[in-house]
Amino acid sequence: MTIERLVAMVNDIAAFFEAEAGPSAPEAVAAHLRRFWAPPMRRQISQAFRLGDPALAGLSATARQAISVLAAGSDGQ
């Protein structure tokens, strides 16, 4: 899957959780990704985050925080 598609997907998820979870949205998004995204998808976006991929420039603030949480954990490997 392209990184651009993953960015669009995580932004959509983040927008939903911003409305539902408020300040805990980044953690809720990360939990959603752990539960519903396939490991290769999580690895791809986590690796792009760790490498500073410019394709991630379009991430919302909540999505960026969620990917940071994901990349820091073992599930982002």
Side-chain angles (χ1 to χ4, degrees), residues 8-9 39 42 56 63 70:
M9 290 169 61
R42 294 192 311 261
L56 299 184
L70 191 70

Side-chain angles (χ1 to χ4, degrees), residues 35-48:
R35 186 168 183 196
F36 295 106
W37 278 26
M41 294 166 66
R42 294 192 311 261
R43 279 192 300 271
Q44 185 179 359
I45 202 158
S46 294
Q47 181 180 19

Side-chain angles (χ1 to χ4, degrees), residues 30 34 39 42-43 46-47 49-50 65-77:
R34 284 185 202 104
R42 294 192 311 261
R43 279 192 300 271
S46 294
Q47 181 180 19
F49 180 82
R50 285 192 291 272
Q65 290 172 340
I67 298 305
S68 174
V69 168
L70 191 70
S74 62
D75 53 359
Q77 299 296 322

Side-chain angles (χ1 to χ4, degrees), residues 2-76:
T2 68
I3 195 67
E4 292 80 11
R5 181 67 187 129
L6 294 176
V7 166
M9 290 169 61
V10 76
N11 278 338
D12 288 345
I13 295 164
F16 171 81
F17 281 107
E18 285 169 355
E20 294 295 314
S24 63
E27 292 81 14
V29 173
H32 177 90
L33 299 180
R34 284 185 202 104
R35 186 168 183 196
F36 295 106
W37 278 26
M41 294 166 66
R42 294 192 311 261
R43 279 192 300 271
Q44 185 179 359
I45 202 158
S46 294
Q47 181 180 19
F49 180 82
R50 285 192 291 272
L51 295 174
D53 190 324
L56 299 184
L59 284 174
S60 70
T62 298
R64 183 170 299 283
Q65 290 172 340
I67 298 305
S68 174
V69 168
L70 191 70
S74 62
D75 53 359

